[in-house]
């Protein structure tokens, strides 16, 4: 799953008293960001699968970024970092940890059975990528629903909902315009991925400005 993860970021951002959208945009893709770093470092691996629907990559080895156990650990570390390093209030820290974890069940829905339950453990996946048209609709609708939700929140705060629609619209347009992709080297795939995630984080920061300092005050 690609842009569908951002529906969770939009839902998590909600209204007042949550961290800004760019933090949720980073949190919802944290597992993929870690994966990009680990494939560039040669710690996790994939095999080329040209012509395969959904992704031109076969995810042969990614226990530290994409096992269920790893997702739980990264979510826990997010909670700890939010509380101890950034003094985020308890509710928002739980919300961020939940958004980080949400990546795994959403990947479970689309991936072929390649997601390990723990490093070296059995692999699972519900294979929605085998139905690419349905999968594209689902991801686009998820983002549209998330944008509508955050748009209503903005409206209720007296802020313009166009921010939500620009964010959702850019994501959906990029997603539908993108081709199936080609299996490239880990450095190229990882760098492209990091570039995309950074772009979305910047976009989220832009559309959510100005961020009111009081919105994230510790309680
Ligand atoms: Zn993923």
């Amino acid at each position: 799953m690609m842009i569908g993860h951002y529906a969770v970021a939009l839902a998590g951002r909600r209204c007042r008293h949550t961290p800004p959208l760019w933090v949720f945009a980073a949190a919802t893709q944290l597992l993929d960001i870690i994966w990009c770093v680990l494939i560039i470092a040669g710690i996790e691996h994939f095999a080329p699968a040209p012509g395969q629907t959904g992704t031109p990559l076969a995810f042969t080895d990614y226990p530290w970024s994409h096992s269920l156990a790893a997702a739980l650990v990264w979510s826990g570390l997010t909670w700890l970092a939010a509380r101890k390093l950034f003094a985020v209030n308890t509710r928002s820290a739980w919300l961020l940890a939940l958004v980080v974890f949400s990546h795994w069940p959403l990947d479970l829905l689309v991936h072929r059975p390649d997601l390990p339950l723990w490093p070296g453990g059995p692999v699972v996946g519900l294979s929605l990528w085998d139905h690419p048209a349905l999968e594209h609709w689902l991801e686009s609708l998820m983002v549209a629903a998330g944008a509508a939700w955050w748009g209503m929140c903005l409206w209720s705060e007296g802020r313009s909902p166009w921010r939500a629609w620009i964010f959702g619209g850019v994501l959906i347009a990029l997603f539908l315009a993108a081709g199936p992709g080609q299996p490239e080297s880990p450095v190229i795939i990882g760098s492209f991925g990091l570039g995309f995630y950074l772009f979305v984080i910047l976009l989220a920061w832009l559309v959510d400005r100005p961020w009111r300092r009081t919105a994230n005050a510790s309680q």
Side-chain angles (χ1 to χ4, degrees):
M1 178 162 287
M2 179 52 72
I3 63 167
H5 292 296
Y6 293 109
V8 183
L10 287 159
R13 174 65 179 87
R14 299 187 302 174
C15 302
R16 299 176 181 84
H17 311 303
T18 59
L21 183 62
W22 71 264
V23 176
F24 286 102
T28 199
Q29 293 287 21
L30 182 65
L31 302 191
D32 277 9
I33 291 170
I34 292 167
W35 176 76
C36 288
V37 172
L38 294 183
I39 62 166
I40 291 173
I43 295 169
E44 295 195 336
H45 307 90
F46 61 81
Q52 180 180 258
T53 55
T55 171
L57 310 178
F59 302 104
T60 53
D61 170 41
Y62 58 169
W64 310 115
S65 65
H66 274 76
S67 68
L68 174 60
L72 288 167
V73 169
W74 291 119
S75 303
L77 290 175
T78 299
W79 187 91
L80 266 180
R83 289 291 295 146
K84 304 301 177 190
L85 296 181
F86 300 101
V88 170
N89 67 56
T90 309
R91 194 188 61 167
S92 290
W94 278 111
L95 199 56
L96 284 171
L98 202 62
V99 170
V100 169
F101 182 74
S102 74
H103 188 101
W104 198 86
L106 288 180
D107 270 5
L108 175 72
L109 183 65
V110 301
H111 278 233
R112 299 175 176 95
D114 58 27
L115 289 159
L117 295 181
W118 58 85
V123 291
V124 291
L126 299 175
S127 304
L128 195 59
W129 271 335
D130 286 344
H131 308 279
L134 180 64
E135 203 273 340
H136 269 64
W137 268 105
L138 177 70
E139 292 208 46
S140 303
L141 281 174
M142 285 172 70
V143 172
W149 167 251
W150 189 44
M152 284 193 296
C153 290
L154 289 168
W155 186 265
S156 74
E157 291 176 329
R159 300 171 76 196
S160 171
W162 62 262
R163 298 158 179 272
W165 289 110
I166 286 179
F167 185 74
V170 169
L171 285 180
I172 293 170
L174 285 176
F175 181 59
L176 296 181
Q182 294 295 320
E184 304 282 357
S185 74
V187 171
I188 292 177
I189 295 279
S191 303
F192 181 83
L194 289 176
F196 175 75
Y197 299 129
L198 186 61
F199 165 77
V200 180
I201 287 169
L202 285 172
L203 181 66
W205 175 75
L206 270 175
V207 299
D208 202 9
R209 296 180 70 210
W211 176 44
R212 292 167 191 163
R213 197 172 155 71
T214 52
N216 191 30
S218 297
Q219 292 177 349

